[in-house]
Amino acid sequence: MPFIEQIIIKNYKLLQNVTLTDLQPINVVLGPNGTGKSTLFDVFGFLAECLQSNVRKALESRGRFHEVRSRNSDGPISFTIKYREADYVNRLNSTPITYHISIDEKNGRPYVSHEYLHWRRGKQYGSPYKFLDIKNGEGMVITGENPEEGDERHSIKMDSPDILAIKSLGQLAEHPRVASLRRFIEGWFLSYFIPDKARQIPESGVAEHLSRTGDNLANVVQYLSEEHPDTFEQVLARVADRIPGLQTINSERTVDGRLVLQFKDGPFRDPFLAKHVSDGTLKMFAYLILLYDPTPPPLLCVEEPENGLHPRLLSILAEEFRAHARGGTEGIGTQVFVSSHSPYFIDALKPEELWIMSRNEKGYSTIIRADKISHIPEFIAEGASLGNLWYEGYFGRGNG
């Protein structure tokens, strides 16, 4: 799966000028409320919505251009993503590709002012070679799997200034690199799991993937138990190992065609319904369902998974996320982004996996990786834990 190495964000709400570089398979964001953690995650959602619909609709759902562009700032909203079409382990054997999009406004209407794709000649070094370059709706694209090797250059003009070029061109077989990026962004998944949503009784029918809120959990259980029983048994074994006494979980069809989740506890003869299960049990089960998806998303964002979970489960959950990000048993890794406020979750991380967010004197977000903060690597080498260092104030303004 593609792997993001760097993200540069400019003029997006609190993220007036933020760069995350040398990203890892798992990246956890820590910081006080109001420092921009949710905004950072919303960048992924915003770009996916721009691709699924258009720039105007994605902005309208967030208050329009003037509410999204960083306050007291000029110039366009822009995002630059450097990625490779290979997983973390094999990334250095692939060519780095950069995607850039700038969004501006004219006469009250947002438009894509610049969009391009380029890669470097050679796997590590060399000058950039643009094979997609669109300014104000007009530009060029070069066809083929290897655009440098004699493929054709075409002039293009977009029908609408608020539609991404990768949306239109990514549907065509002659633009495989563009299509790969389109599929990559379309597959990004943001999890906002809500236990009460998972307790609802949905209509009968299978669902291959968990929804953002988890309201189709029973449908996914039905799908996995019928189509991927070995995977489902793995999930049940992991849950039973994490939640003492929990024996089995099933989805039963009611007479009116709906699905009910039933949990069987070891000491009791009869199973009980999801409405009687703790938030923590439901969340651990749902996250494991998500992580053991037979066709996982290429990028996964999870906000504050620690809510409702017992502290002793948090280091275990962090290890589950890390194993999944590095490929797990199937060798298919999903790059993971997590926000957290829990020292127990943070304790399970390596310094290079932890990002600290704060706000500067102008009110904008800043972000730095923990291993780049003075003395943090030395403290860790001496046996200190990241959670304790956070509580003791060693992360500067990112404490809170």
Side-chain angles (χ1 to χ4, degrees):
M1 287 190 183
F3 182 87
I4 297 176
E5 292 186 330
Q6 182 185 72
I7 303 172
I8 302 172
I9 305 162
K10 294 186 177 180
N11 287 336
Y12 190 79
K13 301 182 182 180
L14 289 176
L15 310 179
Q16 195 261 348
N17 189 3
V18 164
T19 298
L20 292 84
T21 193
D22 194 17
L23 289 164
Q24 301 296 301
I26 178 172
N27 304 274
V28 178
V29 183
L30 172 71
N33 292 330
T35 54
K37 298 188 301 299
S38 294
T39 302
L40 177 61
F41 281 29
D42 186 52
V43 167
F44 297 108
F46 176 75
L47 288 172
E49 285 184 39
C50 285
L51 185 57
Q52 291 161 5
S53 55
N54 57 48
V55 167
R56 176 181 56 81
K57 289 183 179 179
L59 286 169
E60 283 181 347
S61 67
R62 291 163 173 80
R64 298 193 172 186
F65 185 86
H66 68 280
E67 288 293 331
V68 175
R69 183 168 65 179
S70 300
R71 296 188 183 278
N72 303 322
S73 295
D74 297 318
I77 300 166
S78 72
F79 311 95
T80 306
I81 299 174
K82 178 182 174 183
Y83 68 99
R84 296 177 189 258
E85 292 180 336
D87 59 23
Y88 180 76
V89 173
N90 300 303
R91 70 194 186 286
L92 298 182
N93 294 320
S94 63
T95 301
I97 304 176
T98 299
Y99 175 62
H100 173 87
I101 174 177
S102 294
I103 300 168
D104 216 329
E105 187 179 53
K106 185 176 182 180
N107 299 324
R109 291 180 173 272
Y111 67 99
V112 181
S113 58
H114 197 188
E115 183 179 9
Y116 67 75
L117 263 173
H118 73 61
W119 62 9
R120 290 197 174 277
R121 293 179 171 92
K123 294 176 181 177
Q124 294 299 319
Y125 306 103
S127 59
Y129 180 89
K130 286 187 179 179
F131 56 95
L132 171 67
D133 193 7
I134 312 291
K135 293 181 179 179
N136 302 323
E138 297 186 36
M140 69 86 192
V141 63
I142 299 175
T143 63
E145 186 76 25
N146 296 296
E148 291 178 84
E149 299 178 3
D151 291 301
E152 297 180 0
R153 177 186 296 257
H154 295 280
S155 296
I156 58 174
K157 183 175 182 178
M158 303 300 298
D159 285 339
S160 178
D162 61 357
I163 294 179
L164 299 186
I166 63 170
K167 177 178 181 178
S168 301
L169 298 174
Q171 306 288 338
L172 305 176
E174 59 261 38
H175 304 297
R177 298 293 181 184
V178 181
S180 175
L181 174 61
R182 175 188 61 79
R183 290 191 298 269
F184 178 42
I185 296 177
E186 284 180 343
W188 293 352
F189 185 84
L190 282 69
S191 174
Y192 300 100
F193 183 77
I194 302 172
D196 284 345
K197 292 285 187 181
R199 292 188 175 96
Q200 295 178 2
I201 304 177
E203 295 295 324
S204 179
V206 299
E208 293 186 27
H209 309 289
L210 196 66
S211 66
R212 291 189 177 189
T213 61
D215 59 349
N216 68 341
L217 181 59
N219 305 87
V220 178
V221 168
Q222 180 183 352
Y223 168 74
L224 287 177
S225 62
E226 293 176 357
E227 302 296 330
H228 299 275
D230 292 342
T231 298
F232 188 58
E233 286 300 321
Q234 277 187 288
V235 173
L236 290 180
R238 304 293 279 186
V239 174
D241 187 48
R242 301 335 187 192
I243 311 293
L246 192 60
Q247 199 171 69
T248 60
I249 304 170
N250 298 304
S251 60
E252 292 291 333
R253 190 177 287 106
T254 65
V255 293
D256 60 351
R258 295 189 295 167
L259 287 175
V260 176
L261 271 180
Q262 294 186 330
F263 292 74
K264 174 69 169 61
D265 208 347
F268 301 101
R269 183 185 63 186
D270 298 322
F272 47 91
L273 303 180
K275 66 180 180 180
H276 300 303
V277 176
S278 70
D279 286 358
T281 296
L282 267 182
K283 291 193 80 170
M284 180 60 79
F285 177 54
Y287 287 139
L288 289 172
I289 287 284
L290 183 61
L291 296 178
Y292 280 79
D293 190 323
T295 54
L299 184 144
L300 172 64
C301 293
V302 181
E303 286 215 59
E304 299 180 8
E306 65 265 18
N307 294 337
L309 285 177
H310 192 282
R312 71 175 181 82
L313 293 177
L314 296 180
S315 61
I316 295 172
L317 183 60
E319 290 296 340
E320 292 282 1
F321 280 130
R322 179 185 289 115
H324 178 72
R326 291 189 174 273
T329 57
E330 302 298 324
I332 305 174
T334 290
Q335 196 167 18
V336 177
F337 291 80
V338 179
S339 67
S340 179
H341 283 119
S342 169
Y344 301 100
F345 191 90
I346 302 304
D347 273 342
L349 303 176
K350 302 173 183 177
E352 62 269 24
E353 297 171 334
L354 180 62
W355 295 82
I356 313 301
M357 292 197 79
S358 59
R359 292 175 69 170
N360 61 23
E361 62 279 358
K362 293 183 179 180
Y364 299 129
S365 296
T366 66
I367 190 164
I368 185 172
R369 218 170 66 175
D371 62 325
K372 305 300 182 183
I373 298 175
S374 178
H375 303 306
I376 295 299
E378 291 80 4
F379 285 134
I380 295 297
E382 292 296 323
S385 71
L386 287 171
N388 284 335
L389 292 173
W390 170 35
Y391 263 164
E392 293 171 11
Y394 286 97
F395 295 157
R397 291 186 179 184
N399 291 285

